[in-house]
Amino acid sequence: MVRGRVHLEDIGRGRSRLIITEIPFQVNKSQLIERIATLVRDGVLEGISDLRDESDRQGMRIVIELTKTDDPEAVLRKLYKHTPLQTTFGIILLALVNGEPRILTLKQALKVYIDHQLEVIRRCALFELNKAEKRANILRGLMIALKNLDAVIDLIRKADSEKEARSDLMKKFKLDQEQAQAILDMPLKRLTHLEQDKILKELSALEERISELKALLGSPEKMRSHLIEDQLVQKTKYSDPRRTQIVLLGEGISSKEMLTASSLVEADDVLVGITAEGKIGRCAPEKINEKGFEIHKWIIKSNTQQTVYFATETGKSYGIYVETLPRVETFAAGIDAKLISDWDQRDAIRAIFSISSEDKKSEEASVITCTKKGLVKKTLASELPFASAQSFVLCKINPGDQLMTVLVSKNNEEDVMLVSEDGMAIRFDQKDLRPMGLIAAGVNGMKLKEGVNLAGAILAGEKDFCCFVTSDWGLGKIAVSEFPKQARYGQGVKALRLNLAEKVAGAIRFEGGKSVILLRYGKHKTRQVRPAMVKPIKRTKMLEYFIKLINQVVSDIEVISSVEDRKKTKPDEGEREEKRQKEPAGSDRKAKFLSKKSAKHSRKQ
C-alpha cells in the first residue's frame, strides 16, 4: 500500500486544512485534483470548502480547506478510500532459477542473487588465475633465457629455422612451447639489466596474486567477504536516499490509524543548519563532534516533528518542516533554500529557531524578537504560520534598525535579559511584554547610549548563569541572580569591565553537561568551547581571556543543547539541601574520614 504525504494545518477559528506535499508513484497530480473535485460535486466527499493547487518550483502543495463542522481525519479517510491518494503497488518476484521460472519470496530472491554473485566472483577469480599463471609461466621461461643468455643466443644463431630453434630450446632448457616461443619473440632491448629487473618484479607480483586467488577460490568465507566489499563499493557509487518512507506498524496498530505524515514520523533529534550560500539540510546531532565537520553560521538542534523558522535582518521569516529537509553528511550538500522558499539571499539571515506542534497549541508559548536598537516584541507561537514556501513578517523593523535574535519561550516564568555592546545589562519580568501581532514593531526594552547596539538577549531564571563573550576573546559566566530585576526600558547595570575598544560580542544562557558552545569569528568561522572551560566571575569584573587568534575578532556566541528541554543541569537549592541531609554532619564526616585514613595506614603496616 502506497500513500501520499499529507500534513494537517490549523488555520485558526476552528478551521483546518489538509496539505498534500507528495503523491504515490505513477499517480498524475491533475487527475488526482480532478477526481477530488468530482467527488465533492457528487456529494461523496463532504466538508471540503476549497481545493486549489499551490505547487510551484519549490515543490508540490495541494491545499484542501475544510469546513468548521467536519472532522479532518474522517475527510482524510474518505480521500484515501475514494481517490488515488492511496494506491496498491503490485509486485511479483518471478525469476528464472536454473533455467526454470519460479515465484520467489524475498528471502529466496536474495539467496539466489547472493549465489549468483558468488558464482560471478568464482568465475572472475578463475579467469584471472588462469591468465596470471600463463603469464607467470612465460616470465619464468624468460628468466631462464636471461640466466643462460650466451647459450641461448648461440643456439638460435646455429639453428636453420624458427621451428628448429624452438625445438632445441625446449630440449636443452626443458621449456614448454609457449616459453620457447616467448624467448624467440623477445626483442633485444629486454636483454638490458633494467628490463631484467622489470621482469623479475612482474613475476614476483604475479606469484603473489596467484597465491591470493588460490586462497580466495579455496575459502567460501573469503569469497563472501569479497562479495560484501564489492556490494559496499556499489552502494557508494550508485545509492541515493530513499524517496519513500517504510512504516513498520507495532503490534495492535492498524495502518488505517496512521493518517498524516506527522503521525508516521518519529521525533528524532537532528541538527538543522543553513550555510552562507543558502544550502539547508539536517544531520545527526553526533556529527558536531566529528573531526572535520564544518559548523556553519546558522545551526540549531531540533527534531523531525518540529517546524524550523529562519528570520532575516528585515524581519521576514520562512517556515520549513524539519522532516521534509534532506539528510546530509555536511550542510553544504543540502538543498538550496531558494528552491523551497522565496528567500532573497541579499536579505541576510539573523536568527534560526524551531517550534513544536505543542508550542503552537499552547496559550503561553511565545516568540520574542529583539532588534539591535533595543526594541523587543512578544508574539504568541500560535500566531506563527505553518510551513510554507511564502514568507511572512515576523516583526516590523524600523529604518536604520536590524533584527538581532529570536527567543522561544515555553512559559512566562523566565526573565528577559538584554546585554549591550558596552557591557551594560538589564533584567526584567517577561510579563512586562504584552503579546502583539506579527506586523508590530515592539516596545523599548533597554535604553542604549548613542552609537551602542544590543549585543545579546537571553531567557533565564534566578538560578541560571549568563555566559558572555567579548570581541577580544574574553569568556566567562555570571550568575543571573547578580543582576537585579528592573522595570523594562532602563539603562540596566554594569555587567562587565571592558578594555578600550573592546565590545561585548554576544551572550547566551549557560548550559552545562554535553552542550556545545560555539564562538563565531572572522568570515563564517567557528570555534568550539567545552562548558568546563567557561569560568565563573563576579559582576563588574573583567572576563578571563580565551586562546586568542591573531587578527581575528569574535562576532557572536551560540550554544547547542544536549538535552531535549532547556532545563538547567545544575541542581536547585532543594536538591542540594536534601543531599546534605543524607550526608553525615560535619563532625561525623571528619570522624569517617579519620577512620578511613587509620584503616589505610594499618593496611600499609
Side-chain angles (χ1 to χ4, degrees):
M1 184 173 68
V2 184
R3 281 180 179 172
R5 193 179 293 270
V6 183
H7 290 286
L8 181 64
E9 290 187 358
D10 184 7
I11 56 178
R13 298 182 180 179
R15 298 183 62 188
S16 56
R17 60 188 176 191
L18 297 171
I19 309 296
I20 303 172
T21 54
E22 294 179 22
I23 58 177
F25 178 59
Q26 292 185 335
V27 172
N28 184 275
K29 182 185 69 172
S30 301
Q31 292 178 358
L32 173 63
I33 294 173
E34 187 178 344
R35 174 66 176 164
I36 295 173
T38 303
L39 291 173
V40 172
R41 283 196 301 266
D42 295 344
V44 178
L45 285 176
E46 298 178 348
I48 296 178
S49 61
D50 190 17
L51 172 65
R52 60 183 181 274
D53 183 10
E54 295 183 354
S55 304
D56 54 18
R57 61 177 183 171
Q58 283 83 29
M60 182 179 294
R61 183 179 169 87
I62 303 172
V63 180
I64 304 174
E65 291 197 1
L66 309 177
T67 59
K68 288 184 180 181
T69 55
D70 278 88
D71 180 15
E73 292 190 0
V75 175
L76 187 53
R77 290 182 198 278
K78 287 184 179 180
L79 284 170
Y80 284 148
K81 183 178 181 180
H82 298 289
T83 71
L85 190 60
Q86 174 179 301
T87 61
T88 54
F89 193 85
I91 298 172
I92 179 169
L93 291 177
L94 178 64
L96 286 173
V97 181
N98 297 325
E100 298 178 359
R102 288 178 57 189
I103 296 177
L104 307 174
T105 64
L106 181 60
K107 184 176 180 180
Q108 289 171 339
L110 289 172
K111 187 178 185 306
V112 170
Y113 173 78
I114 291 170
D115 291 343
H116 171 69
Q117 292 298 322
L118 290 173
E119 179 63 18
V120 170
I121 291 172
R122 188 189 70 80
R123 289 184 178 184
C124 288
L126 195 60
F127 174 79
E128 189 179 350
L129 177 63
N130 293 333
K131 187 177 179 181
E133 285 181 337
K134 285 183 180 179
R135 178 61 180 167
N137 184 48
I138 291 172
L139 292 176
R140 291 190 190 100
L142 294 179
M143 290 301 298
I144 291 173
L146 291 172
K147 288 179 181 177
N148 304 277
L149 187 58
D150 293 336
V152 169
I153 293 172
D154 186 57
L155 187 148
I156 295 172
R157 185 179 296 163
K158 291 178 180 179
D160 294 331
S161 64
E162 181 183 349
K163 184 177 180 181
E164 183 182 345
R166 183 169 56 246
S167 177
D168 292 343
L169 286 172
M170 292 171 62
K171 288 178 183 178
K172 185 170 184 178
F173 299 105
K174 297 181 179 180
L175 304 173
D176 57 30
Q177 189 172 349
E178 289 181 353
Q179 289 175 325
Q181 186 64 42
I183 292 171
L184 291 174
D185 294 339
M186 182 174 63
L188 292 176
K189 68 176 183 178
R190 304 210 73 174
L191 301 179
T192 63
H193 287 291
L194 186 61
E195 288 295 325
Q196 292 178 30
D197 291 341
K198 284 183 179 180
I199 292 172
L200 188 60
K201 286 180 181 179
E202 186 182 354
L203 179 60
S204 177
L206 277 173
E207 287 176 344
E208 185 178 349
R209 182 57 181 162
I210 288 168
S211 62
E212 289 177 0
L213 291 169
K214 286 182 177 179
L216 177 65
L217 289 168
S219 173
E221 291 79 11
K222 287 186 178 181
M223 290 182 70
R224 286 183 173 272
S225 298
H226 184 82
L227 174 59
I228 291 170
E229 292 173 5
D230 184 61
Q231 292 296 306
L232 291 174
V233 170
Q234 299 299 321
K235 178 182 176 182
T236 305
K237 278 185 178 180
Y238 303 111
S239 69
D240 57 356
R242 171 169 288 281
R243 301 183 187 184
T244 56
Q245 182 181 350
I246 297 176
V247 181
L248 299 177
L249 300 175
E251 187 177 352
I253 300 176
S254 170
S255 62
K256 294 181 180 179
E257 298 173 10
M258 312 294 282
L259 294 177
T260 60
S262 57
S263 63
L264 301 177
V265 178
E266 294 184 2
D268 293 331
D269 288 339
V270 293
L271 290 179
V272 177
I274 183 168
T275 68
E277 293 75 24
K279 300 291 185 180
I280 187 169
R282 60 179 168 125
C283 67
E286 299 78 23
K287 283 282 183 183
I288 198 168
N289 295 319
E290 288 186 4
K291 189 175 181 181
F293 180 74
E294 189 175 0
I295 303 173
H296 293 275
K297 174 65 176 171
W298 307 111
I299 185 171
I300 189 174
K301 186 177 180 183
S302 183
N303 69 56
T304 48
Q305 286 188 347
Q306 295 189 351
T307 304
V308 67
Y309 296 87
F310 56 97
T312 68
E313 61 185 11
T314 60
K316 286 186 178 181
S317 188
Y318 308 83
I320 303 170
Y321 289 116
V322 174
E323 189 268 332
T324 62
L325 292 173
R327 285 187 175 273
V328 293
E329 293 297 316
T330 61
F331 293 129
I335 190 172
D336 197 334
K338 290 183 288 186
L339 297 177
I340 54 177
S341 68
D342 60 356
W343 171 55
D344 187 351
Q345 204 163 352
R346 292 171 295 182
D347 191 6
I349 297 172
R350 284 289 176 259
I352 182 170
F353 61 98
S354 64
I355 298 289
S356 66
S357 56
E358 289 77 16
D359 293 336
K360 290 185 72 64
K361 295 175 184 177
S362 173
E363 295 181 357
E364 290 190 349
S366 60
V367 172
I368 299 173
T369 60
C370 306
T371 71
K372 288 190 173 183
K373 298 300 181 183
L375 287 180
V376 183
K377 189 192 74 168
K378 182 178 183 180
T379 303
L380 294 178
S382 57
E383 292 197 22
L384 294 181
F386 286 87
S388 171
Q390 304 300 319
S391 65
F392 66 93
V393 177
L394 181 62
C395 69
K396 182 183 176 182
I397 302 296
N398 295 327
D401 201 357
Q402 289 182 359
L403 181 70
M404 186 200 67
T405 190
V406 179
L407 307 174
V408 178
S409 173
K410 305 290 184 181
N411 49 54
N412 291 319
E413 295 176 3
E414 296 174 321
D415 297 329
V416 179
M417 188 168 165
L418 306 179
V419 182
S420 64
E421 292 177 340
D422 59 351
M424 301 294 290
I426 185 172
R427 173 185 164 210
F428 56 87
D429 200 314
Q430 191 184 148
K431 294 177 183 177
D432 289 351
L433 296 175
R434 168 177 68 83
M436 298 181 180
L438 289 173
I439 59 173
V443 294
N444 290 308
M446 184 178 185
K447 286 183 180 178
L448 300 171
K449 295 178 182 177
E450 186 68 27
V452 175
N453 293 325
L454 213 61
I458 67 167
L459 291 172
E462 187 75 22
K463 296 171 185 176
D464 289 324
F465 282 83
C466 181
C467 180
F468 296 86
V469 67
T470 65
S471 56
D472 287 348
W473 298 85
L475 185 66
K477 61 180 180 179
I478 303 175
V480 174
S481 57
E482 292 195 36
F483 297 87
K485 259 192 183 182
Q486 297 177 288
R488 179 180 55 80
Y489 195 45
Q491 291 183 349
V493 295
K494 191 73 174 176
L496 304 171
R497 188 155 56 90
L498 304 172
N499 290 322
L500 191 65
E502 186 180 19
K503 293 181 179 180
V504 175
I508 58 169
R509 182 167 72 173
F510 180 79
E511 297 184 15
K514 294 183 179 179
S515 59
V516 179
I517 297 174
L518 307 175
L519 298 185
R520 307 290 189 183
Y521 67 95
K523 189 176 181 180
H524 310 305
K525 293 183 180 180
T526 303
R527 183 160 188 167
Q528 291 191 36
V529 180
R530 298 193 309 273
M533 300 175 71
V534 182
K535 305 300 181 184
I537 65 164
K538 292 292 183 180
R539 188 172 65 83
T540 71
K541 303 296 182 182
M542 292 190 70
L543 297 175
E544 291 191 13
Y545 286 89
F546 194 63
I547 301 172
K548 185 175 181 179
L549 299 179
I550 300 174
N551 299 327
Q552 298 290 351
V553 176
V554 179
S555 59
D556 199 3
I557 183 172
E558 294 175 32
V559 63
I560 298 178
S561 176
S562 61
V563 291
E564 184 63 28
D565 55 359
R566 297 176 58 207
K567 292 181 180 178
K568 53 188 179 299
T569 56
K570 188 176 179 181
D572 58 22
E573 286 296 329
E575 292 173 347
R576 289 198 294 268
E577 182 61 32
E578 184 180 353
K579 190 176 180 180
R580 281 197 294 267
Q581 289 176 0
K582 290 180 181 179
E583 291 179 352
S587 57
D588 294 338
R589 287 198 299 269
K590 186 175 181 182
K592 189 176 180 181
F593 171 74
L594 290 174
S595 65
K596 284 184 178 180
K597 190 173 182 182
S598 176
K600 186 177 179 181
H601 181 65
S602 63
R603 284 198 301 271
K604 283 184 178 180
Q605 288 180 337

